[in-house]
């Protein structure tokens, strides 16, 4: 496990030139803020108990943070003139920043200036998903520091689009030091949450520009989706990414994917390559998926991290220290 983690760090260093993931470690706050992880867990679980959509929201926020400038909490920064990452189109549907803010406020009261927003987000995403299982579903190494740059224009070129084909998805993940295996495993996060109609309705109404339907989409499922999304221009309606199971973190995403019921083109693309299609088949059991997801999340959580004297520890997660 340790060797794989170091390899992931080397891969990121080679590709993007930023990585001190070896400086991340277990119980980083043991001395400086012993209650840090329990505070994150308690607040996250309290909020998850009253909001079953929170796991999907925080997991997506963590993913969107890590894929732009690494896992540095740059996704949390506010901008007075709408030029920060959270103002970019792919991030406008992110939600529950208030949960991170609540955790940060409590941690600043207990041990000011010690716990980074980047670590809070990584831990909260894990704890929200883990809530239904009453045990941690993956290990989060800590020691990240917060970035002080957040640029909206960098988002579209770094966050993988739901319209991407397989080769483009592979390149996107490779640029972050992640493998085809990580791509397939992390796509399993679509087992929770919802998708907006405008991100897949072209598959229903105008797949090749000839008012046609995507032939790779299960026809019965397509007919159902058409009852929900009745036009290409619908930007407000949402549907479950994992029909009937969108609030349960499980392996059913891979089961429906094999039935050609992946919602996005990027989901269906995983079946267009023999290697990735085989990996999909290996993940249909929840025990297998959970094991692999744990490893891939650990690698994703190490993308481009700032440690040591790099970056800062923000006093407020939405504001760069002055």
């Amino acid at each position: 496990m340790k060797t794989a983690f170091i390899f992931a760090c080397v891969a990121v260093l080679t590709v993007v030139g930023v990585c001190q993931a070896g400086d991340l470690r277990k119980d980083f706050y043991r001395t400086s803020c012993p209650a840090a992880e329990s505070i994150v867990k308690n607040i996250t679980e309290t909020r998850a108990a009253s909001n079953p959509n929170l796991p999907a929201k925080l997991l997506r926020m963590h993913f969107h943070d890590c894929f732009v400038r690494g896992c540095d909490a740059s996704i949390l920064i506010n901008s007075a003139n709408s030029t920060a990452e959270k103002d970019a189109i792919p991030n406008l549907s992110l939600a529950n920043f208030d949960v991170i803010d609540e955790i940060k406020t409590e941690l600043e009261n207990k041990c000011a200036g010690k716990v980074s927003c980047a670590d809070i987000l990584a831990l909260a995403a894990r704890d929200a998903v883990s809530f239904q299982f009453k045990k941690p579903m993956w290990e989060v190494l800590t020691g990240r520091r917060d970035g002080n740059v957040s640029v909206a224009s960098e988002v579209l070129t770094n966050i993988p689009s739901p319209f991407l084909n397989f080769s483009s998805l592979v390149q996107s993940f490779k640029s972050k030091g992640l493998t085809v295996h990580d791509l397939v495993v992390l796509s399993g996060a679509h087992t929770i949450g919802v998708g907006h109609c405008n991100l897949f309705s072209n598959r229903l109404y105008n797949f090749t520009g000839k008012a046609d339907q995507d032939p790779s989409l299960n026809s019965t499922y397509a007919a159902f989706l058409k009852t929900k999304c009745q036009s290409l221009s619908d930007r407000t309606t949402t549907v479950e990414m994992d029909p009937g199971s969108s609030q349960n973190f499980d392996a059913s995403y891979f089961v429906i994917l094999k039935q050609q019921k992946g919602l996005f083109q990027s989901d269906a693309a995983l079946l267009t390559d023999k290697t990735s299609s085989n990996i999909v088949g290996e993940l249909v059991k929840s025990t297998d998926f959970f094991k692999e997801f744990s490893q891939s999340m650990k690698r994703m959580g190490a993308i481009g991290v700032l440690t040591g004297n790099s970056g800062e520890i923000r006093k407020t997660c939405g504001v760069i220290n002055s």
Side-chain angles (χ1 to χ4, degrees):
M1 183 184 301
K2 193 170 182 181
T3 303
F5 183 64
I6 292 172
F7 173 79
C9 177
V10 171
V12 175
L13 179 60
T14 302
V15 176
V16 298
V18 180
C19 186
Q20 297 99 8
D23 294 335
L24 297 182
R25 61 181 185 268
K26 194 173 180 178
D27 297 324
F28 180 85
Y29 299 105
R30 181 181 294 169
T31 303
S32 62
C33 190
E37 295 196 23
S38 62
I39 288 172
V40 176
K41 181 175 182 287
N42 291 340
I43 293 176
T44 302
E45 290 186 343
T46 298
R47 296 292 292 266
S50 60
N51 180 4
N53 297 315
L54 187 65
K57 296 294 187 181
L58 292 186
L59 187 57
R60 183 167 178 249
M61 189 187 298
H62 181 36
F63 177 86
H64 280 220
D65 180 43
C66 290
F67 264 64
V68 183
R69 291 188 171 265
C71 310
D72 67 345
S74 52
I75 189 65
L76 305 177
I77 294 172
N78 298 318
S79 166
N81 54 0
S82 299
T83 57
E85 286 175 29
K86 64 164 58 174
D87 301 307
I89 290 174
N91 291 332
L92 294 178
S93 57
L94 294 180
N96 297 117
F97 292 98
D98 59 308
V99 176
I100 306 301
D101 291 337
E102 181 181 345
I103 295 168
K104 180 62 172 176
T105 298
E106 180 65 19
L107 285 170
E108 286 297 301
N109 288 337
K110 286 285 193 297
C111 30
K114 298 298 183 182
V115 184
S116 71
C117 300
D119 276 344
I120 292 170
L121 179 51
L123 289 164
R126 188 270 310 274
D127 294 341
V129 172
S130 301
F131 175 66
Q132 78 176 79
F133 301 98
K134 307 304 178 190
K135 65 177 183 180
M137 295 303 286
W138 63 89
E139 182 180 52
V140 175
L141 302 181
T142 44
R144 297 167 189 78
R145 287 170 65 85
D146 300 324
N148 51 21
V149 176
S150 185
V151 183
S153 61
E154 295 180 350
V155 173
L156 279 174
T157 54
N158 283 283
I159 300 287
S161 161
F163 302 105
L164 291 185
N165 61 23
F166 181 73
S167 60
S168 296
L169 286 168
V170 170
Q171 184 55 45
S172 175
F173 275 67
K174 184 180 179 182
S175 73
K176 309 302 175 187
L178 299 175
T179 65
V180 171
H181 190 266
D182 293 319
L183 161 62
V184 179
V185 171
L186 292 173
S187 293
H190 286 177
T191 189
I192 51 175
V194 298
H196 285 78
C197 286
N198 61 298
L199 298 179
F200 61 84
S201 56
N202 68 306
R203 302 183 73 199
L204 305 175
Y205 299 112
N206 198 30
F207 186 58
T208 66
K210 298 178 181 178
D212 55 343
Q213 183 173 299
D214 183 351
S216 73
L217 185 62
N218 180 290
S219 57
T220 303
Y221 184 46
F224 164 75
L225 291 175
K226 285 179 179 179
T227 68
K228 300 292 184 180
C229 306
Q230 298 182 15
S231 77
L232 282 166
S233 58
D234 185 346
R235 295 177 174 273
T236 56
T237 305
T238 60
V239 300
E240 295 176 292
M241 290 190 287
D242 186 351
S245 181
S246 66
Q247 292 180 346
N248 293 314
F249 193 82
D250 53 31
S252 65
Y253 166 82
F254 297 102
V255 175
I256 65 162
L257 195 57
K258 287 175 66 68
Q259 299 169 355
Q260 296 185 304
K261 296 179 182 177
L263 189 62
F264 302 121
Q265 278 177 248
S266 58
D267 295 317
L270 301 182
L271 299 179
T272 64
D273 174 83
K274 184 177 180 179
T275 299
S276 64
S277 183
N278 287 340
I279 297 169
V280 169
E282 293 168 359
L283 296 172
V284 294
K285 291 183 180 179
S286 288
T287 50
D288 296 329
F289 169 51
F290 294 160
K291 178 182 177 181
E292 298 303 326
F293 193 78
S294 171
Q295 296 303 311
S296 289
M297 282 300 296
K298 194 170 178 181
R299 287 190 282 273
M300 190 194 84
I303 295 173
V305 293
L306 301 172
T307 60
N309 294 320
S310 300
E312 62 184 17
I313 304 296
R314 277 185 234 139
K315 298 173 184 175
T316 303
C317 288
V319 182
I320 298 167
N321 294 347
S322 56

